[in-house]
Structure formats: structure tokens, C-alpha cells
């Protein structure tokens, strides 16, 4: 019996198999593949008359088999893709953010990164040469057991504030070229739901393309808020953000303390909070909120002289009350005390007396005017010696700030008292009301007293008010400046608190060309410091068998003058008596150093000394000189270590060629700053 395969010609959904006896078996479409497989296996023998049909069936079978194979493979690949996990690399504890080129990355830190040898610079925002994992522990993103972190690079800052947090001591740094933030990686379940708001107009022109805008209404109950989040000037701000893993912006998720609405009538101002314009801080009104981002220890020098009069004295008190509420006095943020001056200064209350705006306001309202002259110089000396002490509530890690209220002009000199206060770590602001008119300037004891009292930083530390009745207008600008901790660098730092003496080898082995390279190295170091008669001062000595004072600490008081003087140094040529040069530097430079300055000697040499260096170096160390030795080419390692302050490995450097000296500029400055920040404050 021969079976024959017949395709239907009427578009039916079945096909038939027939035999010579005209038996018919119907097959559904699901059975077609089974039949075709039988043909290949020899179970059915197609009739020769149906060869063309069999060929068609073979082609169909081949195509369909390939199709099923590809479909199956695609499904398996999809399953594998779904199961694949993001690979997160593990980094060591000593890895610094600056060594990783990615602007944003996720990494895994190992256990044990809390060790003090992994140094961190900054608080919340860290300098890029900090240990990434140690900074993560300091910020609270992980603990000492390690874990996953998200690192985001940001621009460099003018200053980094050190602090102690989560078992890690971070150090301060005046400035650095790059910073980073560290946090826990964002998890999908942490995203909060938001509702779309069609009532918010599209002001950007791209909102319809980029995502749904949301309307945020803060709860009416006061809550502490992070310093990076501004209080709203309107009840319903519209914001969008961009997911860091996608190019498509999406709506900002509201914090846990917010809710969303599409009804503009429901958006009511939040009572108890107002914004200090452009300060970047949420400020507390009536003492109901906390400003923890502005952690400063603040002293106001209040003018109580008779020249101010009773009415203006009351205006001054109201101004101070307004500042108190704008700051949001609290133990985790700004603290404030008041010293009233006249003939003599006296403390009305210190930093730890009151710790909330209400109590400070009540205390200010009760202050009586003491009268007398306007002896501001005497008041600054008093504050410098007495106010910022542990007994009076000084917190150590918070910047010390003095705001001097001046009616007209002082009746004594302020320059020397201000300089000593700044060099003790105090940032001084002057608020001058109704300054001397042109016909009154002959009565001013010290012309330009404000410029002599504050840092010369383009007016940042001084505010002039034309009238007592417009004093309220400077509340917000003053609070903004006082809370701008990154710019509070007028106090003593590693860059403005030293007398640095360069001791330069001018022997014959150096050569004229290499000597110019050494001078460029000296200039590159010098220009990183804040140079003035009250800040860092620079001196230089050149030596061979003999010694020559190129210029002393008090010779030049501006950075440009110092750099020009370095450029003018002439190459001497001769032998190498390094020990005698160290003794000469101790006598001619560092004996004339100011008592409150750090004495730093940087010695550069290219060979072994003809005389002993150990005794002169030891004498210098005992006299408080911090010595750095930099050897080039044939310099003797044992002498470099003897010259350097202990630990000598952190104070001595060696390079094989003069052209590579530039590599030591940043490490040297970083070491100077690290050492400074590790010292107890005066």
C-alpha cells in the first residue's frame, strides 16, 4: 500500500494522505511537521508523481526548522541577559579618586579602610587625592566592614574642612583642583512615587519631551533639611533631573518629607521657614528649624559707644536679632556670643550660654548700652585672648568668626590687633555704618582701617552701610558670607601661616642651566602660598663654600615681588658646604621669624657636602625649624635624611635629574598642609 501526500487546493486547514485503496486520513496543520519528518526518516514513501510536492515539503521543513532553532536560541539568550548582573570592581583602601578617570563610578570597598594611614581631606565634599573608601566611611556611606559605594567627581574647591566622623579623622586643605562626593548606590526600591501635574506650565520648552514635571508641597510641620536643598520661594517649584544611567531626564522624586499634588490651590507656604537669599542654606524662623550646614563659632563685637546714641543702639540690637533668626542658632550649626565694646570690652554672653534663637533674642533685648569710646582694637585683642576658648564653648572644628559693628570709625588703632587675631585663626568681618564723610576723615585715627583689619579679598570681609535705617538690608548678605565656609580661609592655614626659607645649592656641579631650573622650582612652590606681611613670607639663601642672603622674610610682601626676586638670583658657582649653609639660614633667616609663624626650611642640593650636616640640622630642628631636603643627581641619601625633620621619609625627596624637580611641587605642598592640619590649634 502506497501513501500519497496531497496539499489542499481549497485553502482548507487540513491536508490528506491517501492510499491505493482510497483510504483517507486527515491531518491538522500541527501534524504537517510530523509527516514531513517521516518522509525524511523513510516511513512514508512519496509517490513519484508527487515529487514536486515532496520537494516543496523539504524546503518548508528546512525553513521551519531554522526558524524554530533561531527562536529557541533567542529566548535562551534573553534569559541569560536577564540573569546577568552588573560587574562591580573591588578597589583597595589606598585608592584615591584622582587616580580613576571616570567622572562617576560604582565600586566595592574591602573591610578595614578606617585606618588612619588612609588619609582623607574634607567633609561631605572631599579632595580627589583622598582615599575613596576611607572617605566613604567618613561620610557614612559604608562602615569599616566595606561595601558598595557610588563616587561622583565634581569641581575643585577653595577649601576643605577637616572633621571627625564615623571613626575617621579627615584633614583640612585650603584648595584642590578636583573633588568628589561619595554615597550609597541608588537602589530601584528607594525611588518614591510621584504624580504627574498637568497644571504646571512648561517653562523650559522641553518638559513635554524630557519627562513629567512634579509639584512639591512641603509639609507644614517643621523638619530639618539638608544644606544642599533650598527652601522654596514659591509653594510649587517645578524641577526635573536626569538619571545618571540614562540620557532621558525624568521627574525629580520628592523627599520622604514631601507630598505631591495637582491642585495649585493645595500648595500653601510652609510656615516657620524662610529662605536667606542665595545662601544655599535652609534657615530657621522662630527657632523651629535647624541649620546644620553653617557650623561656625561666631562673636559679634557690638558698638556700645556714646556716639551711636540710644535709637541707633536699638536698631543695632534689632539687626542682631534678625541675624540670629536667619542663622538658626543650634548646637549642630552656628553658635553665637556677643561682646560689647566702649572704653573697654565686656562679654554679654558666650558661645555656650544660649543654643537656640529664642533664648539668644531674649538675651539681646536685655543688653543695656555701656557707653564710652569706640576702642575696637582693644576689643579685638580681648576676643583673641579670651573669647574663643574651650571654657567659653569653642568647638575646635568650627571656624572662628568675628563680626565687628562700627558706627563711623574706631577711636584706637586696629591693624596690629586684627593681624594677631587673624594669625590665631580668626576670620574678621567689618560692618561699617555711616562711614566718615570727606570732611570727617581728618578725625579718623587710622585711615583705611577696614582694609588694614580684614583680609584683602575684594571686599568679601567688609560691608559698608550708608545708614542705620538700611541696616536690615545686609542681614542676608552677611549670613551668606559667614556661612560660606569654603571662603573662610583668611584665618591661619597651611598656606598663610609660615616663614619659608629656601637654601639653594649654587655649587659648580649644578651649572647655569640647571640653576635656572632650580629657581623655577622655588618659584612654583612659592606661588602656591598666600604671601603678604601678615601671611606667608619667603626668604632665600644661596650657598657654595660661602653663603649669601638673597632676600630676607621682611624684604617682599607681595607674591609678584617675591617671584621677581627669585628670578633675579644670579648663579654663584663654587664648592658645597651644606652644613655651614644650614647654620647660616638658622642665624640669618629663622631667628627673625615671627613667633606665631611656622618655620620651614627647604634645602635643594645636588651633591655630598664638604662639611658635616648633622649637627647644624639637629640645632635647627631643636629651634623649631621644619626641614625638607631635596636631593638631585649625586646628592647623598644619608645626608638628605639627616637634614630632614623626622620622619625623614616624609621630609626628604630625591630625583635623578633637575628637569624632574617639578614632580615634587604638589607632594611637598601636600605634606606641608597635612603636617599643619595634624597639629593642635593655637
Amino acid at each position: 500500500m502506497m501513501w500519497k501526500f496531497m496539499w489542499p487546493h481549497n485553502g482548507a486547514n487540513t491536508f490528506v494522505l491517501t492510499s491505493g485503496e482510497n483510504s483517507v486520513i486527515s491531518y491538522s496543520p500541527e501534524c504537517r511537521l510530523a509527516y514531513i519528518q517521516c518522509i525524511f526518516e523513510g516511513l512514508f514513501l512519496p509517490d513519484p508523481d508527487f515529487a514536486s510536492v515532496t520537494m516543496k515539503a523539504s524546503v518548508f521543513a528546512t525553513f521551519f526548522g531554522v526558524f524554530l532553532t533561531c527562536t529557541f536560541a533567542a529566548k535562551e539568550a534573553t534569559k541569560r541577559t536577564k540573569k546577568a548582573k552588573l560587574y562591580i570592581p573591588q578597589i583597595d583602601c589606598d585608592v584615591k579618586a584622582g587616580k580613576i578617570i571616570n567622572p562617576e563610578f560604582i565600586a566595592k570597598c574591602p573591610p578595614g579602610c578606617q585606618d588612619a594611614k588612609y588619609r582623607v581631606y574634607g567633609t561631605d565634599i572631599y579632595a580627589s587625592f583622598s582615599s575613596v573608601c576611607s572617605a566613604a566611611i567618613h561620610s557614612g556611606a559604608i562602615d569599616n566592614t566595606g561595601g558598595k559605594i557610588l563616587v561622583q567627581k565634581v569641581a575643585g574647591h577653595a577649601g576643605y574642612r577637616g572633621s571627625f566622623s564615623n571613626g575617621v579623622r579627615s584633614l583640612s586643605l585650603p584648595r584642590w583642583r578636583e573633588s568628589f562626593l561619595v554615597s550609597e548606590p541608588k537602589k530601584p526600591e528607594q525611588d518614591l512615587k510621584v504624580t504627574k501635574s498637568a497644571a504646571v506650565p512648561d517653562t523650559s520648552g522641553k518638559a513635554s519631551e524630557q519627562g513629567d514635571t512634579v509639584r512639591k508641597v512641603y509639609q507644614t510641620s517643621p523638619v530639618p533639611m539638608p544644606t544642599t536643598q533650598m527652601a522654596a520661594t514659591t509653594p510649587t517649584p517645578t524641577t526635573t533631573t536626569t538619571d545618571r544611567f540614562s540620557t532621558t531626564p525624568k521627574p525629580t522624586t520628592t523627599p520622604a518629607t514631601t507630598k505631591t499634588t495637582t491642585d495649585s490651590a493645595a500648595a500653601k507656604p510652609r510656615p516657620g521657614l524662610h529662605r536667606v537669599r542665595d545662601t544655599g542654606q535652609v534657615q530657621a524662623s522662630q527657632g523651629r528649624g535647624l541649620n546644620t550646614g553653617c557650623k561656625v563659632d561666631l562673636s559679634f563685637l557690638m558698638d556700645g559707644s556714646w556716639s551711636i546714641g540710644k535709637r541707633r543702639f536699638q536698631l543695632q540690637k534689632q539687626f542682631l536679632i534678625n541675624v540670629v533668626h536667619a542663622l538658626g542658632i543650634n548646637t549642630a550649626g552656628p553658635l553665637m556670643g556677643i561682646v560689647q565694646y566702649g572704653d573697654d570690652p565686656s562679654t554679654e554672653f558666650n558661645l555656650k550660654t544660649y543654643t537656640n534663637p529664642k533664648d539668644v533674642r531674649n538675651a539681646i533685648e536685655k543688653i543695656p548700652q555701656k557707653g564710652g569710646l569706640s576702642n575696637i582694637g582693644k576689643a579685638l585683642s580681648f576676643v583673641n585672648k579670651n573669647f574663643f576658648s574651650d571654657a567659653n564653648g569653642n568647638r575646635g572644628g568650627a571656624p572662628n568668626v568675628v563680626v565687628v559693628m562700627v558706627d563711623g570709625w574706631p577711636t584706637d588703632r586696629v591693624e596690629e590687633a586684627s593681624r594677631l587675631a587673624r594669625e590665631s585663626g580668626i576670620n574678621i568681618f567689618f560692618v561699617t555704618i555711616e562711614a566718615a564723610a570727606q570732611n570727617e576723615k581728618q578725625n579718623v585715627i587710622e585711615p583705611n582701617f577696614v582694609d588694614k583689619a580684614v583680609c584683602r579679598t575684594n571686599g568679601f570681609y567688609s560691608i559698608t552701610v550708608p545708614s542705620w535705617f538700611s541696616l536690615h538690608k545686609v542681614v542676608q548678605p552677611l549670613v551668606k558670607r559667614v556661612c560660606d565656609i569654603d571662603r573662610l580661609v583668611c584665618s591661619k592655614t597651611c598656606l598663610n601661616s609660615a616663614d619659608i626659607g629656601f637654601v639653594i645649592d649654587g655649587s659648580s656641579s649644578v651649572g647655569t642651566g640647571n640653576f635656572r631650573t632650580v629657581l623655577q622650582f622655588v618659584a612654583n612652590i612659592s606661588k602656591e602660598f598666600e604671601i603678604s606681611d601678615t601671611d606667608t613670607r619667603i626668604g632665600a639663601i644661596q650657598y657654595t663654600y660661602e653663603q649669601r642672603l638673597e632676600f630676607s622674610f621682611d624684604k617682599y610682601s607681595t607674591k609678584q615681588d617675591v617671584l621677581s626676586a627669585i628670578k633675579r638670583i644670579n648663579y654663584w658657582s663654587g664648592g658645597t658646604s651644606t652644613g655651614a649653609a644650614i647654620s647660616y639660614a638658622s642665624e640669618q633667616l629663622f631667628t627673625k621669624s615671627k613667633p606665631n609663624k611656622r618655620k620651614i626650611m627647604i634645602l635643594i642640593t645636588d651633591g655630598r657636602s664638604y662639611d658635616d650636616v648633622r649637627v647644624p640640622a639637629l640645632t635647627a630642628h631643636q629651634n623649631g625649624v621644619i626641614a625638607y631636603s631635596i636631593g638631585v643627581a649625586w646628592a647623598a641619601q644619608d645626608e638628605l635624611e639627616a637634614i630632614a625633620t623626622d620622619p625623614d621619609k616624609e621630609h626628604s625627596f630625591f630625583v635623578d635629574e633637575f628637569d624632574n624637580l617639578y614632580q615634587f611641587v604638589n607632594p611637598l605642598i601636600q605634606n606641608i598642609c597635612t603636617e599643619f592640619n595634624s597639629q593642635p590649634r593655637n
Side-chain angles (χ1 to χ4, degrees), residues 13 20 78 99 138 145 223 240 275 286 324 394 438 441 457 509 550 560 577 660:
N13 289 329
T78 302
K99 297 295 183 182
H138 184 272
T145 60
V223 292
T240 60
R275 182 173 69 119
Q286 303 301 324
V324 167
N394 182 46
Q438 193 63 37
K441 288 186 176 180
T457 51
S509 58
E550 300 293 352
Q560 189 56 52
S577 294
N660 292 328

Side-chain angles (χ1 to χ4, degrees), residues 269-316:
R270 178 185 176 185
L273 285 176
H274 72 281
R275 182 173 69 119
V276 174
R277 187 176 304 145
D278 298 327
T279 63
Q281 310 287 346
V282 176
Q283 310 295 354
S285 159
Q286 303 301 324
R288 299 176 64 186
L290 294 179
N291 177 12
T292 59
C294 176
K295 187 178 179 180
V296 296
D297 289 343
L298 181 64
S299 171
F300 271 85
L301 290 191
M302 186 179 188
D303 190 344
S305 63
W306 292 127
S307 65
I308 193 174
K310 292 184 178 180
R311 184 179 183 186
R312 287 180 291 185
F313 187 76
Q314 292 301 318
L315 291 173
Q316 180 179 213

Side-chain angles (χ1 to χ4, degrees), residues 453-586:
V454 304
C455 266
R456 297 164 178 81
T457 51
N458 301 322
F460 179 78
Y461 288 92
S462 60
I463 297 176
T464 301
V465 186
S467 167
W468 281 94
F469 298 99
S470 56
L471 188 59
H472 64 281
K473 296 180 181 179
V474 303
V475 171
Q476 294 175 356
L478 178 62
V479 169
K480 175 184 176 182
R481 299 184 194 190
V482 166
C483 289
D484 192 351
I485 295 176
D486 285 342
R487 294 189 64 180
L488 295 183
V489 295
C490 193
S491 60
K492 186 166 61 173
T493 70
C494 63
L495 297 184
N496 67 11
S497 62
D499 282 343
I500 302 177
F502 289 94
V503 181
I504 306 168
D505 185 348
S507 62
S508 302
S509 58
V510 175
T512 304
N514 289 333
F515 188 76
R516 305 317 300 177
T517 302
V518 171
L519 293 184
Q520 185 60 55
F521 172 71
V522 171
N524 288 342
I525 293 174
S526 299
K527 68 184 180 182
E528 292 298 319
F529 290 85
E530 303 298 329
I531 296 174
S532 76
D533 55 347
T534 60
D535 297 315
T536 288
R537 304 186 301 170
I538 304 292
I541 287 171
Q542 183 182 177
Y543 74 94
T544 57
Y545 284 125
E546 301 177 290
Q547 306 82 37
R548 183 168 72 196
L549 179 64
E550 300 293 352
F551 54 90
S552 59
F553 291 136
D554 57 1
K555 180 71 172 179
Y556 303 109
S557 59
T558 69
K559 185 177 296 187
Q560 189 56 52
D561 287 345
V562 167
L563 296 179
S564 297
I566 293 170
K567 190 175 181 179
R568 292 194 301 268
I569 295 176
N570 293 319
Y571 176 47
W572 202 355
S573 185
T576 308
S577 294
T578 306
I582 296 172
S583 297
Y584 184 85
S586 296

Side-chain angles (χ1 to χ4, degrees), residues 131-168:
S131 161
V132 173
C133 293
S134 191
I137 297 173
H138 184 272
S139 70
I142 59 173
D143 55 25
N144 199 37
T145 60
K148 298 175 184 177
I149 57 171
L150 170 65
V151 178
Q152 297 168 299
K153 300 281 191 71
V154 294
H157 276 236
Y160 299 86
R161 178 172 55 87
S163 64
F164 184 81
S165 178
N166 301 317
V168 174

